């Protein structure tokens, strides 16, 4: 079911937010995070939501507007929320670049920028799971879901095809692998 896919994608996002949060904790303690991991997570969020997650949410939201405009209005402007998320991510990327370029930027400021991105992403996903998805489940009709499902399985639509989704699965596994290696190196019991 479409909503199950969106929930699964949220869980995947949360997995990567946890990775970023772990690296951020090191940074906040004055230690050096693994910047390969940090860059990989940023790159993932720069591409993945626009490639897979938001297009699907947009379609569901359009259907909700058509079936129950009051419910859609209560949720607000989903596209604007997504744009603000992208803007917060740009600030994260710039802050990380500033740190690596040794530009003057307070450690606390960098910490706040990344923390803000993580928290707002979580808040947005929680709102969708609490308000948007249940409203869609309630209002959309079987033919709406059938139409959305048909677009999902239509491989001519590159944004929604599961081929793209499989590629991102590979990217996620790669990031988790990098994170595991970074953790192993940081472990006091790591073999030298
Ligand atoms: Fe969203
Ligand atoms: Fe979402």
């Amino acid at each position: 079911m479409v909503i199950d896919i969106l929930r699964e994608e949220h869980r995947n996002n949360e997995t990567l937010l946890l990775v970023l949060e772990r690296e951020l904790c090191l940074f906040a303690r004055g230690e050096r995070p693994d910047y390969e991991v940090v860059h990989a997570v940023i790159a993932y969020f720069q591409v993945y939501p626009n490639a897979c997650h938001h297009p699907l949410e947009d379609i569901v939201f359009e259907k909700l507007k058509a079936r129950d405009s009051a419910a859609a209005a209560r949720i607000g402007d989903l596209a604007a929320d997504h744009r603000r998320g992208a803007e917060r991510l740009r600030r994260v990327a710039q802050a990380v670049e500033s740190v690596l370029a040794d530009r003057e930027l307070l450690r606390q400021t960098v910490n706040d920028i990344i923390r803000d991105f993580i928290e707002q992403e979580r808040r947005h996903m929680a709102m969708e799971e609490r308000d948007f998805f249940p409203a869609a489940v309630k209002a959309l009709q079987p033919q709406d879901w059938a139409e959305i499902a048909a677009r999902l399985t239509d491989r001519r639509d590159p944004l929604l095809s599961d081929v793209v989704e499989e590629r991102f699965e590979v990217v996620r596994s790669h990031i988790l692998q990098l994170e595991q290696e970074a953790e192993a190196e940081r472990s006091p019991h790591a073999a030298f």
Side-chain angles (χ1 to χ4, degrees):
M1 189 189 167
V2 170
I3 295 296
D4 294 329
I5 295 172
L6 290 171
R7 285 208 177 96
E8 174 73 25
E9 290 175 353
H10 281 184
R11 280 195 291 276
N12 291 338
N13 286 352
E14 176 56 28
T15 301
L16 294 185
L17 288 176
L18 278 170
V19 168
L20 184 61
E21 193 168 43
R22 206 172 305 148
E23 295 300 325
L24 181 62
C25 284
L26 289 167
F27 181 79
R29 287 204 303 263
E31 294 170 36
R32 187 181 166 86
D34 187 306
Y35 283 104
E36 194 181 359
V37 170
V38 173
H39 277 136
V41 174
I42 292 172
Y44 181 86
F45 278 104
Q46 280 169 336
V47 177
Y48 178 77
N50 296 327
C52 290
H53 191 69
H54 294 163
L56 187 51
E57 286 184 340
D58 289 344
I59 297 170
V60 175
F61 195 56
E62 284 306 309
K63 298 272 185 204
L64 176 62
K65 273 188 199 162
R67 294 286 181 193
D68 186 347
S69 57
R74 278 194 296 277
I75 288 154
D77 190 341
L78 211 59
D81 280 0
H82 293 158
R83 279 197 299 276
R84 281 191 285 270
E87 179 52 39
R88 277 188 287 270
L89 182 62
R90 263 195 294 281
R91 284 201 292 275
V92 168
Q94 280 166 3
V96 170
E97 291 325 305
S98 298
V99 171
L100 289 174
D102 272 333
R103 281 197 289 275
E104 282 295 307
L105 199 55
L106 281 180
R107 186 166 283 269
Q108 186 61 45
T109 307
V110 176
N111 188 63
D112 291 348
I113 289 170
I114 302 177
R115 171 73 41 208
D116 181 52
F117 170 73
I118 294 172
E119 280 174 6
Q120 295 296 335
E121 283 301 301
R122 283 181 176 151
R123 190 171 301 177
H124 176 75
M125 291 193 289
M127 178 283 285
E128 290 180 333
E129 303 209 6
R130 188 188 59 234
D131 301 330
F132 174 32
F133 298 166
V137 167
K138 201 167 154 207
L140 269 63
Q141 300 297 308
Q143 74 189 75
D144 296 323
W145 297 116
E147 275 174 38
I148 298 169
R151 286 190 63 177
L152 275 178
T153 50
D154 182 355
R155 291 184 180 234
R156 284 168 303 178
D157 189 341
L159 288 185
L160 295 171
S161 85
D162 44 11
V163 176
V164 175
E165 180 52 42
E166 281 161 22
R167 288 206 192 115
F168 281 109
E169 178 57 41
V170 172
V171 177
R172 278 194 295 275
S173 305
H174 177 65
I175 295 173
L176 293 179
Q177 176 73 31
L178 285 177
E179 171 70 357
Q180 259 177 21
E181 286 166 13
E183 288 276 279
E185 274 174 32
R186 289 194 286 252
S187 159
H189 306 298
F192 289 102

